Amino acid sequence: MNHRLHLKFEQLERATEHLLAAADALGPDKAKAPGPGQWSAAQVAHHLLFIESNIIQYVQKKMQSEELLPKVGLFTRLRARVVRLLLRLPGLRYKAPRGVATLTDTGDVPALPELRTTWEASRRQLERLLNEFPSRQLNRAIFPHPRSGRITIYQVMDFLLDHLLHHQQQMNRITKALRPAGTPLVND
């Protein structure tokens, strides 16, 4: 894995562990939604795992084709930066894409220990993918992001981290709404 991808991967690992620790700290309330129409901590973790797993599967499929991928244009790079900025702004909320929201909104989500185990396996799969990623494809469009357009593997890693950090804000709101009086919040 090249150094830049390794750094992004390590950041993603730390952020994921922080998010899962915040969910675990809720104890039995981790499956409880703070209000009607809102996601529980377990649903947030499930959503993030679902997105990451689907991205990994797509990138693996594209890598098997062995074709030289198209270059990423300036307009796409700008859109990707705007998406990154919007995900990082505190307090902004976005509607999840239809298929993702429907899956997560059903409430039929595995328990957090099972999600953690599945996520660890998925993360090892991502690590292998990054280790094997061909250097000639690093700056090529590997994934069609719904808002940014076709983005590079570097931008995929940026998105995964920014998306997770965006949902960490949501996890903090859930924690604040559900924590018993006098119980400290998990620190950022």
Side-chain angles (χ1 to χ4, degrees):
M1 180 181 326
N2 84 16
H3 184 67
R4 187 169 158 199
L5 285 177
H6 178 74
L7 291 175
K8 290 175 185 294
F9 181 80
E10 290 297 320
Q11 287 178 309
L12 187 61
E13 285 274 85
R14 284 190 302 276
T16 302
E17 190 49 47
H18 180 74
L19 181 122
L20 290 172
D24 275 336
L26 289 171
D29 287 340
K30 59 184 145 247
K32 180 180 176 184
Q38 297 178 349
W39 286 352
S40 68
Q43 285 175 302
V44 171
H46 180 261
H47 166 76
L48 290 163
L49 172 60
F50 176 78
I51 296 300
E52 185 173 310
S53 297
N54 282 333
I55 289 173
I56 292 167
Q57 288 174 4
Y58 184 91
V59 171
Q60 284 178 321
K61 181 180 161 192
K62 288 303 278 184
M63 282 178 57
Q64 289 174 354
S65 70
E66 292 291 323
E67 65 189 55
L68 189 62
L69 299 165
K71 289 185 176 183
V72 174
L74 178 62
F75 186 63
T76 300
R77 289 185 189 281
L78 290 174
R79 284 193 331 222
R81 286 183 190 242
V82 169
V83 169
R84 286 198 76 193
L85 173 67
L86 292 174
L87 282 172
R88 291 285 183 116
L89 289 175
L92 283 182
R93 298 181 187 186
Y94 307 94
K95 275 257 197 237
R98 253 180 316 208
V100 174
T102 303
L103 176 71
T104 303
D105 289 342
T106 63
D108 189 21
V109 172
L112 202 56
E114 184 181 337
L115 283 172
R116 182 184 283 274
T117 300
T118 305
W119 209 337
E120 287 171 1
S122 179
R123 193 54 63 82
R124 298 299 61 87
Q125 190 177 6
L126 175 61
E127 186 175 27
R128 279 190 304 277
L129 182 148
L130 295 174
N131 279 328
E132 297 167 3
F133 203 87
S135 59
R136 65 187 174 91
Q137 301 280 35
L138 286 170
N139 291 306
R140 300 291 182 144
I142 190 74
F143 181 76
H145 186 276
R147 304 268 193 276
S148 300
R150 299 189 68 74
I151 58 177
T152 68
I153 192 67
Y154 294 123
Q155 292 166 320
V156 165
M157 294 301 292
D158 287 339
F159 168 73
L160 288 173
L161 178 62
D162 292 338
H163 184 232
L164 194 140
L165 293 174
H166 174 76
H167 283 287
Q168 180 66 54
Q169 294 173 31
Q170 181 182 14
M171 189 68 72
N172 293 345
R173 289 191 302 270
I174 292 168
T175 300
K176 187 175 182 179
L178 295 179
R179 71 183 171 127
T183 305
L185 280 172
V186 174
N187 291 334
D188 288 337

